[in-house]
Amino acid sequence: MGVDMDWFKKKKGISTSAEKKSLPDGLWIKCNKCGEIIYRSQLQARMNVCPKCDYHFRVSSKEYVQYLFDENSFQEFNAHIAPGDPLKFKDTKKYSDRLKAAQKKTGLLDAVITGEAAVTGYPVIGAVMDFNFIGGSMGSVVGEKIARAIDRAREQRKPLIIVSASGGARMMEAALSLMQLAKTSAKLSQLAEAKVPYISILLDPTTGGTTASFAMLGDIIIAEPGALVGFAGQRVIKQTIGQDLPEGFQTAEFVLEHGFIDLIVHRQEMRTTVGKILDLIWGQNNASEPTTETSAKS
Amino acid sequence: MLKKHFRIVFDFEKPVVELEKKIIEMEEYARETGINLNDDLKRLTRKAEALRKEIYSKLTPWQRVQLARHPDRPYTLDYVKRIFTDFVELHGDRYYADDPAIVAGMAKLNGQPVVIVGHQKGRDVKENLYRNFGMPHPEGYRKALRVMKLGAKFGMPIFSFLDTPGAYPGIGAEERGQAEAIARNLFEMSHLPVPIVITVIGEGASGGALGIGVGDVILMLENCWYSVISPEGCAAILWRDNSKAPLAAEAMKLTAKDLYEMGVIDRIIKEPAGGAHWDPDGAAEILKGELIKEMERLQKLDPRELVNLRVEKFSKMGYWIEKNGKSTSKKEKKKK
């Protein structure tokens, strides 16, 4: 059970038939920012970053796992946790149908994958969200899988890395989604008490309840260049204040300038940067097996 | 306990309000003319009571949302005045500003020093502009946290009252870290070593409400709503039509009864017949008893245990299926 792990063995930059299936637009792609026409395999070799303007394309969780973690190091856990439809929610569509469509489209059961992995040799616990799954929204499954990843990081004393790409809490699970903010934040307070580091990485976009919980609670918070990072939706703000929003509002650069994230890192440098940070805050604990509080650390 | 003035009368309230008006007219007539109408008045008053009970016992979710927003509904300071003594309001987050959309302070409950935080709406236009309609900026959450930490430092139980249409969506709020402020409160409130009693007294809109809503026990007055987004917001996004808010209210299961069944709240607090706005004193009296009871119960727990139970409480919330579990595979079969 769980997601197809074949993608995992793929070499970077080599386009396979499976990849072509998820990118049906042909061999060429136009940059959303500068309009440059880019050869798709060239784009993939550059981790989906525009060679001309450095625009960071949105990527799937599976792709980001390849970029961030050491090759073949990601071992997924809790892949069996699936969403239900607790409210029997229906708007113009049934929630259960939306779930099925999203599962078919992404090959995922819900909007996050969690696993044991390594970054530049450091064992870590990783959680990577997927914006393609109902806007990366956080319902019960996302909250629960992240909560369990936090527990595992605490129990095994491995640094936690959560990669967010999410519009916020999932409306179709209503109050239950909202409570996942409290759940994940409460778990993070236990992780902090255990003095295990947590690095939060923000991709485009990270907004709403995701930002208002674990995404903003990292010991270190890193964003990709140009990522949308904020709380309220831009349309809502515009309606409320009745005026246009300033240029660059709610970008990674904007939140950095206002003091809410530590640094902005290019996708191709993310792994080495995270490795450097781990080296500094976790280096002395590097070789440690799961330890108890009383045992000496090497 | 009749109310003489109704600033807003909802459609579903009309029959009972009409009757109330009639009673008031008859009282005046009796006073002016000296004619004894006591028997008739008694009969009509009983009838009005019964009618009110009947109407309010079967409200739709959307009608509850409207009641939760009733402009005569008691707000945080109305309850503080009636439930606590010796209230000292404390201002400011010590970083940027004082946010009047959240009130914070110290007081006594049943003689015991406590800390109070809560969203605060305004009664009229002027006051609402000052209170920003109960929609906090980041400094509101930071003020609340500062005062709650004060409570934790000196061993004072914390009482938080939720009543907001949402955290304010504005440029300044984003610049000053609305998301960070809420996230920080969730993180910190989950391990403050004193009892935290949460009461939803009106509107519980999303992170804006939850930002002062993590505690050991979650109480909810019966005519309130609490969810991930307002019904209008939900309708605008999922139906692309604000006017579908009543449908959204239905779908979101946002009433006290729904939330109790989902395990999001611990207890529903009864309001006087017709809702808290018909009888604020009565509503406060009922709530006061519950708050004292919860405080006394929680104070018996060791702080360490209290915090563990609090984290555990929120850890249990949600609904998911373990695909390898036995019960689930049965469910899967049924579906097929």
Side-chain angles (χ1 to χ4, degrees):
Chain A
M1 201 39 244
V3 295
D4 176 10
M5 297 295 276
D6 276 350
W7 56 272
F8 197 47
K9 293 167 192 127
K10 254 178 260 159
K11 293 257 158 53
K12 245 182 278 166
I14 297 171
S15 183
T16 65
S17 59
E19 235 166 349
K20 271 177 196 156
K21 228 186 266 170
S22 66
L23 301 163
D25 303 341
L27 287 171
W28 300 89
I29 191 164
K30 192 175 169 186
C31 175
N32 293 340
K33 195 177 164 201
C34 70
E36 177 84 353
I37 307 290
I38 314 157
Y39 193 46
R40 194 177 287 277
S41 66
Q42 186 199 4
L43 187 66
Q44 278 161 359
R46 301 192 80 249
M47 298 186 181
N48 282 294
V49 176
C50 174
K52 194 178 170 206
C53 74
D54 268 344
Y55 171 75
H56 286 49
F57 283 78
R58 283 180 184 169
V59 293
S60 69
S61 51
K62 293 173 182 180
E63 285 168 306
Y64 204 85
V65 160
Q66 285 183 311
Y67 303 155
L68 178 63
F69 301 117
D70 295 348
E71 201 175 349
N72 293 347
S73 70
F74 189 80
Q75 297 296 326
E76 188 174 5
F77 56 73
N78 290 329
H80 62 284
I81 301 177
D85 180 8
L87 277 56
K88 303 276 168 273
F89 192 94
K90 187 172 172 260
D91 49 87
T92 54
K93 278 184 201 158
K94 280 186 190 165
Y95 176 43
S96 55
D97 290 341
R98 284 185 195 272
L99 281 173
K100 272 181 219 147
Q103 286 166 345
K104 203 175 160 204
K105 181 174 118 186
T106 59
L108 304 168
L109 285 177
D110 210 311
V112 72
I113 51 177
T114 54
E116 298 189 6
V119 174
T120 63
Y122 287 104
V124 298
I125 299 297
V128 182
M129 299 185 80
D130 200 307
F131 189 71
N132 293 319
F133 196 103
I134 317 186
S137 54
M138 168 161 56
S140 302
V141 171
V142 170
E144 180 63 15
K145 284 177 79 170
I146 285 181
R148 290 192 196 186
I150 298 168
D151 280 345
R152 197 178 283 230
R154 184 170 50 83
E155 284 155 11
Q156 300 188 2
R157 298 199 63 78
K158 288 180 186 166
L160 172 74
I161 302 177
I162 301 178
V163 180
S164 297
S166 167
R170 188 173 294 166
M171 274 179 288
M172 301 80 150
E173 292 182 32
L176 293 178
S177 300
L178 182 64
M179 293 306 139
Q180 306 308 312
L181 276 68
K183 180 199 276 190
T184 53
S185 303
K187 288 287 184 186
L188 283 173
S189 79
Q190 293 183 325
L191 186 73
E193 199 187 16
K195 292 189 165 48
V196 175
Y198 161 39
I199 298 176
S200 172
I201 298 178
L202 317 181
L203 307 186
D204 182 57
T206 300
T207 62
T210 301
T211 323
S213 58
F214 56 84
M216 274 294 145
L217 291 173
D219 293 307
I220 306 290
I221 307 178
I222 310 174
E224 283 198 345
L228 177 73
V229 178
F231 178 62
Q234 300 210 343
R235 208 162 30 123
V236 176
I237 298 175
K238 247 190 249 176
Q239 273 172 11
T240 307
I241 63 173
Q243 63 190 63
D244 282 337
L245 302 173
E247 179 80 21
F249 183 63
Q250 292 184 324
T251 57
E253 293 73 17
F254 173 92
V255 283
L256 181 108
E257 187 192 328
H258 287 94
F260 289 99
I261 60 173
D262 289 285
L263 61 169
I264 295 173
V265 176
H266 193 287
R267 190 174 287 163
Q268 289 157 9
E269 285 153 21
M270 193 63 88
R271 189 191 293 170
T272 49
T273 306
V274 170
K276 244 159 86 180
I277 290 167
L278 288 176
D279 205 37
L280 291 166
I281 54 177
W282 200 241
Q284 66 274 33
N285 298 315
N286 174 16
S288 68
E289 294 297 306
T291 51
T292 62
E293 280 171 2
T294 48
S295 70
K297 281 163 200 154
S298 53
Chain B
M1 212 86 60
L2 299 180
K3 289 202 62 170
K4 305 266 191 278
H5 302 289
F6 299 94
R7 292 193 298 165
I8 282 194
V9 177
F10 298 128
D11 280 347
F12 59 87
E13 284 183 307
K14 267 183 189 150
V16 72
V17 171
E18 290 304 318
L19 204 53
E20 297 280 349
K21 275 185 189 156
K22 211 168 169 186
I23 293 168
I24 292 165
E25 275 168 26
M26 277 176 68
E27 278 175 337
E28 274 164 17
Y29 181 76
R31 220 179 6 254
E32 280 163 19
T33 58
I35 299 171
N36 187 342
L37 292 173
N38 281 352
D39 284 353
D40 287 331
L41 277 169
K42 260 186 210 157
R43 188 177 51 81
L44 279 180
T45 307
R46 267 202 305 273
K47 197 177 161 193
E49 284 291 330
L51 187 61
R52 208 189 302 165
K53 260 190 195 138
E54 201 207 317
I55 290 173
Y56 287 88
S57 65
K58 40 186 175 187
L59 295 176
T60 66
W62 178 240
Q63 287 169 335
R64 298 252 185 224
V65 170
Q66 288 173 295
L67 269 190
R69 295 170 177 168
H70 199 290
D72 289 328
R73 204 174 158 79
Y75 299 145
T76 295
L77 287 175
D78 298 310
Y79 285 113
V80 169
K81 200 163 62 186
R82 289 171 171 85
I83 293 173
F84 301 88
T85 60
D86 306 279
F87 179 59
V88 178
E89 188 176 351
L90 302 172
H91 294 276
D93 66 347
R94 303 270 169 87
Y95 294 110
Y96 182 78
D98 181 45
D99 184 354
I102 288 184
V103 292
M106 303 180 292
K108 283 184 182 170
L109 175 62
N110 208 19
Q112 150 92 50
V114 300
V115 151
I116 298 164
V117 298
H119 302 101
Q120 181 65 37
K121 293 178 174 176
R123 270 299 151 217
D124 52 35
V125 175
K126 196 180 152 206
E127 208 190 337
N128 255 322
L129 288 175
Y130 173 64
R131 299 284 182 192
N132 200 29
F133 298 87
M135 293 191 282
H137 281 74
E139 37 282 12
Y141 296 104
R142 294 187 181 125
K143 168 170 71 176
L145 181 58
R146 177 177 79 83
V147 175
M148 287 189 285
K149 281 187 162 174
L150 192 70
K153 185 172 174 183
F154 296 105
M156 299 149 93
I158 296 164
F159 292 86
S160 180
F161 299 94
L162 313 192
D163 186 13
T164 179
Y168 186 65
I171 292 176
E174 295 288 323
E175 286 175 336
R176 300 195 294 277
Q178 189 76 287
E180 192 275 344
I182 293 172
R184 183 65 47 203
N185 279 19
L186 305 183
F187 181 94
E188 296 291 346
M189 288 181 88
S190 66
H191 65 113
L192 290 175
V194 289
I196 305 178
V197 179
I198 310 291
T199 311
V200 187
I201 58 168
E203 298 189 82
S206 197
L210 186 63
I212 53 168
V214 176
D216 303 301
V217 61
I218 322 289
L219 310 177
M220 188 163 173
L221 299 190
E222 62 177 322
N223 296 310
C224 294
W225 70 271
Y226 192 9
S227 196
V228 71
I229 189 169
S230 71
E232 289 88 345
C234 180
I237 296 170
L238 293 181
W239 278 266
R240 300 189 190 281
D241 180 358
N242 286 33
S243 72
K244 294 285 192 291
L247 271 182
E250 202 91 33
M252 290 203 299
K253 307 265 195 296
L254 44 58
T255 67
K257 188 168 168 284
D258 292 324
L259 295 171
Y260 177 74
E261 282 163 10
M262 278 191 255
V264 168
I265 63 164
D266 296 293
R267 259 165 348 98
I268 302 170
I269 309 299
K270 277 269 171 214
E271 294 181 25
H277 64 290
W278 285 83
D279 181 8
D281 292 334
E285 192 57 39
I286 298 170
L287 182 56
K288 184 179 179 179
E290 299 293 337
L291 295 183
I292 292 171
K293 213 162 70 187
E294 291 299 342
M295 177 173 75
E296 286 173 350
R297 178 178 69 84
L298 294 168
Q299 278 184 313
K300 290 191 188 112
L301 297 174
D302 169 73
R304 187 77 226 172
E305 192 188 356
L306 190 71
V307 168
N308 285 342
L309 287 173
R310 194 182 304 153
V311 176
E312 203 178 295
K313 167 188 184 60
F314 284 92
S315 299
K316 283 185 194 146
M317 291 186 191
Y319 179 89
W320 59 88
I321 298 163
E322 311 252 351
K323 282 267 180 180
N324 56 358
K326 270 183 189 166
S327 60
T328 316
S329 54
K330 266 182 207 161
K331 262 188 210 166
E332 293 295 299
K333 273 178 200 163
K334 258 185 211 165
K335 272 179 198 165
K336 283 166 195 170

